[in-house]
Amino acid sequence: MILVVNAGSSSIKVAVFQPTDTADLTEVMAGQVSGIGGPLAHIDLGTDDKDIAAPDHDAALTAILNSLAAQGITTQTLTAAAHRVVHGGTTLVAPCRVDDDVIAGIEAAIPLAPLHNPNNLAGIRALQTLAPDLPQFASFGTAFHATNPDVATAYAIPADDRAMGIRRYGFHGLSYAWIVTQFGDEIPSRLLALHLGSGASLCAIKDGKSVATSMGYSPLDGLTMGTRSGAIDGMAVLRMAEIHGIDEAERRLNKDSGLKGLGGANDMRLLLAADTPEANFAIDHFCYWAARHAGSALVAMGGIDAVAFTGGIGQNSADIRDRIMAHLAFLGDIPVHVVETQEERQIALDAVNLGAA
C-alpha cells in the first residue's frame, strides 16, 4: 500500500492506496491532521476523529502512523510514501524517488515557493525519521509544464535576472497530469484544460504534453481566482507596493483580490446565488478572462480539438462552464469534458510507475 502525503503549513493530508493487478488504485483510507503548531490539533482519519497534540510535523505524522497502525495499516504494510511537492524548480522535472540529491533540489527551490516547499520537506524528513526503511517518492506541481518551450517560459528581462530563476513555471501540474491519465490513448491532440477552483489556471496540452500554461513565476498570474488577482501589470504591482509596502501589497494581491476583491466573496456558489451587480461583475470577469487566456493557449497549440474542465468550480458549475464556452462559441462545436480532480491518486500512480508496489 502507498501512503500519499500532502504536507501544508498547519495540516497534513494523507491517503492510502492499494495497487491492484489491473494497474488500478483502490483508496483504502483518507484523512488529515489539522491545526499543527497550534494549542490543539485534530486528527480525522478513518475511525479516528479527535483532538490531539501536534506541535510540529513530526508529531502530526507520528499521530497519523499510530492511527493507521491501530486500524491495521502499519509501516510494514506500507510499501512506499509518495509526497506532493509544490515546486521542483528547473531540475526536478519529473516524479522521482527521494534521495539526498532530490532533497537538495527541493531545498534549492525554496526561494521559488517559500510558503510550500519547506512544509513538503518537513513531511519527507519526518517520515525519514519515523520510518527510515520506507521508500519515498515525490511528485512536483511544476513538473508537468517542463515540456513548455523556452519561448513560452522566458520573461523578456535582463539575463542576470533570468539566471536567478525568474521565469514562468506553471502550477496545477498534478491536476493536468491526471487529466492526461484519464484520457489515455484517446486524448485529443489539442486539448484546452481548465483547472477552476479557488486557484485557477489553464493549460494548452498538445499530444499529451503541456506547451503553455497561464500561471507563471508564481500562482498569482493568469486567470481571475478566488482571492488572487490573476494577470496584472508589473508597474501596478510596484505602485501598490509603493503605497502599501511590499508585504501588504503581496497580501492584497494574494488574499484580497480576485472574486473576493470584485464581488465580496471568494466562493463562486455564493456569488452565483447573490445576484448583485458586484457579484455578477465578478462572475463575468472570471469567465471573460478564462476565455481571454484560452485564446492565448489556442495559439500555443495551433488550434483546438476539445476542452476539459476540472477543479471545484470546473467540475461542479455547469453555469460557469457554459459561460466560458459561450465566449468561445466562434470556434464552432467543441467537445467539452468534465474530469474529477484526483491529485492524490495521480501521486500514487507516479510512485507505482517508478516501482513502488
Side-chain angles (χ1 to χ4, degrees), residues 34-52:
S34 57
I36 298 171
L40 199 63
H42 189 87
I43 188 169
D44 181 5
L45 179 62
T47 58
D48 256 348
D49 188 359
K50 62 188 179 185
D51 292 333
I52 61 171

Side-chain angles (χ1 to χ4, degrees), residues 5-13 57 83-89 103 105-125 139-142 170-172 174 198-199 215 217-220 227-228 250 254-255 343:
V5 180
N6 183 356
S9 59
S10 61
S11 68
I12 298 178
K13 297 178 182 179
H57 287 71
H83 298 263
R84 175 181 181 264
V85 179
V86 167
H87 214 304
I103 289 175
I106 297 171
E107 289 176 332
I110 285 176
L112 302 173
L115 301 180
H116 298 92
N117 274 31
N119 301 316
N120 305 150
L121 270 175
I124 292 171
R125 286 173 169 150
S139 295
F140 304 93
T142 52
F171 300 87
H172 288 149
L174 293 167
S198 181
M215 285 179 169
Y217 176 74
S218 79
L220 180 70
T227 62
R228 298 184 193 129
E250 179 182 0
N254 282 286
K255 303 295 185 183
E343 294 183 349

Side-chain angles (χ1 to χ4, degrees), residues 289-351:
W289 280 103
R292 278 282 297 270
H293 285 284
S296 174
L298 266 59
V299 171
M301 292 188 292
I304 185 170
D305 297 308
V307 176
F309 286 94
T310 192
I313 297 171
Q315 293 167 210
N316 298 312
S317 180
D319 187 3
I320 296 301
R321 295 196 301 269
D322 289 346
R323 292 189 193 205
I324 293 172
M325 293 309 300
H327 286 294
L328 302 176
F330 69 94
L331 296 170
D333 188 13
I334 306 169
V336 175
H337 305 267
V338 178
V339 180
E340 180 184 359
T341 301
Q342 295 198 44
E343 294 183 349
E344 291 82 7
R345 193 176 292 270
Q346 181 62 46
I347 294 167
L349 182 61
D350 288 342

Side-chain angles (χ1 to χ4, degrees), residues 201-242:
S201 68
L202 58 75
C203 182
I205 301 176
K206 181 75 178 294
D207 298 328
K209 306 292 184 182
S210 173
V211 294
T213 187
S214 57
M215 285 179 169
Y217 176 74
S218 79
L220 180 70
D221 199 8
L223 280 60
T224 306
M225 304 179 219
T227 62
R228 298 184 193 129
S229 66
I232 180 172
D233 188 329
M235 291 305 296
V237 174
L238 291 174
R239 178 61 176 151
M240 290 177 70
E242 182 182 24

Side-chain angles (χ1 to χ4, degrees), residues 24-252:
D24 195 7
L25 293 165
T26 300
E27 185 179 289
V28 177
M29 196 178 299
Q32 67 174 337
V33 170
S34 57
I36 298 171
L40 199 63
H42 189 87
I43 188 169
D44 181 5
L45 179 62
T47 58
D48 256 348
D49 188 359
K50 62 188 179 185
D51 292 333
I52 61 171
D56 53 32
H57 287 71
D58 281 23
L61 269 171
T62 298
I64 288 169
L65 294 178
N66 288 341
S67 176
L68 290 173
Q71 298 177 69
I73 303 173
T74 67
T75 53
Q76 287 72 42
T77 308
L78 296 171
T79 55
H83 298 263
R84 175 181 181 264
V85 179
V86 167
H87 214 304
T90 58
T91 59
L92 299 172
V93 296
C96 58
R97 183 164 177 168
V98 174
D99 58 19
D100 290 343
D101 289 339
V102 170
I103 289 175
I106 297 171
E107 289 176 332
I110 285 176
L112 302 173
L115 301 180
H116 298 92
N117 274 31
N119 301 316
N120 305 150
L121 270 175
I124 292 171
R125 286 173 169 150
L127 272 181
Q128 284 182 322
T129 300
L130 299 169
D133 295 328
L134 188 66
Q136 298 196 65
F137 298 84
S139 295
F140 304 93
T142 52
F144 186 73
H145 305 297
T147 51
N148 283 195
D150 290 345
V151 71
T153 61
Y155 289 121
I157 57 177
D160 56 342
D161 292 314
R162 298 198 305 274
M164 290 190 296
I166 301 178
R167 46 157 284 183
R168 293 183 182 276
Y169 290 96
F171 300 87
H172 288 149
L174 293 167
S175 179
Y176 294 125
W178 178 250
I179 289 174
V180 171
T181 296
Q182 291 305 100
F183 276 102
D185 293 338
E186 302 300 318
I187 189 166
S189 177
R190 299 169 299 184
L191 178 65
L192 172 66
L194 296 98
H195 179 112
L196 305 179
S198 181
S201 68
L202 58 75
C203 182
I205 301 176
K206 181 75 178 294
D207 298 328
K209 306 292 184 182
S210 173
V211 294
T213 187
S214 57
M215 285 179 169
Y217 176 74
S218 79
L220 180 70
D221 199 8
L223 280 60
T224 306
M225 304 179 219
T227 62
R228 298 184 193 129
S229 66
I232 180 172
D233 188 329
M235 291 305 296
V237 174
L238 291 174
R239 178 61 176 151
M240 290 177 70
E242 182 182 24
I243 295 169
H244 302 293
I246 292 175
D247 290 345
E248 175 62 10
E250 179 182 0
R251 190 194 66 79
R252 285 171 172 257

